[in-house]
Amino acid sequence: MPAGTIAPRDWASHPPYIYPDYKSTVLRGPKHPLVPLRHTLSELTGPVYGHESVRPLDSDLTKNGARSGEPLGERIIVAGRVLDEAGRPVRNTLIEVWQANAAGRYIHKADQHDAPLDPNFFGGGRCVTDEAGRYRFMTVKPGAYPWPNHHNAWRPNHIHFSLFGPTIATRLVTQMYFPGDPLLALDPIFLSAPEGARDRMVSTFSLDVTESGYALGYIFDIVLRGPAETPMETGR
Ligand SMILES: [Fe+2]
């Protein structure tokens, strides 16, 4: 591949824009074929952020929203690496996460389901990958929550991830799931990703990442672009 270009997105790794079992995609998915645009300098560079504004506490969701104590729930560590299509580390790249609290509730006016907010949990965090492409978040395990897609629909435990990578064309928004969750087999958002790619969104429990007496550890590696790319989400 010529220098300064990136691999085309491998659509076999991603959900279709319209997936009828996930009802709102029918309304918002494009009805016409996409028009490919040739990459120019603006897609192959940036974005560049003021990384100095990312503070160490931003990656600790058990502390960045604390007002009078610690958030309730099972403390967990989520760590991993961000890699490009050739398996090289993606360094110094911004990762943003957001999630429900341990009771399965977001601080958002659109989320009015019958579960308590946690006064010590904000539910958002960010960090920048290191020289080996590594990242690490401390948080609490998000609860499952109901949603109105169909009767008795529940989202599996999940954490939302947004990454930019080295160029705007490597932007990825995805969700991380937990191993062994019985709701995965029932979740149209998880199932909208092609079968062979779904497991890339499921984290792995790790005793090495686990901190003795403090928090369970999960590993979630993320690949930007190429045939091994982590599937993007279609929303929610
Ligand atoms: Fe969510």
Side-chain angles (χ1 to χ4, degrees), residues 106 145 155 158 160 236:
Y106 288 99
Y145 59 81
R155 292 299 332 280
H158 63 276
H160 295 263
R236 194 76 190 177

Side-chain angles (χ1 to χ4, degrees), residues 24-109:
S24 53
T25 64
V26 176
L27 298 172
R28 68 173 177 235
K31 302 279 191 299
H32 298 284
L34 301 185
V35 179
L37 295 177
R38 209 170 65 80
H39 286 158
T40 62
L41 201 57
S42 55
E43 285 80 38
L44 299 173
T45 58
V48 178
Y49 297 103
H51 291 152
E52 65 280 1
S53 66
V54 177
R55 296 156 300 182
L57 210 59
D58 290 354
S59 62
D60 188 344
L61 283 71
T62 68
K63 297 210 164 56
N64 71 10
R67 291 196 290 196
S68 57
E70 294 213 40
L72 296 176
E74 177 188 340
R75 217 161 21 218
I76 61 167
I77 296 159
V78 177
R81 297 177 76 198
V82 181
L83 305 167
D84 71 9
E85 68 259 25
R88 294 171 298 217
V90 180
R91 307 178 173 91
N92 203 33
T93 194
L94 182 69
I95 304 181
E96 297 164 292
V97 295
W98 63 100
Q99 63 167 90
N101 68 23
R105 178 90 187 264
Y106 288 99
I107 301 178
H108 192 284
K109 64 179 188 310

Side-chain angles (χ1 to χ4, degrees), residues 160-173:
H160 295 263
F161 275 70
S162 166
L163 297 96
F164 283 91
T167 81
I168 197 72
T170 51
R171 179 82 203 280
L172 176 72
V173 179

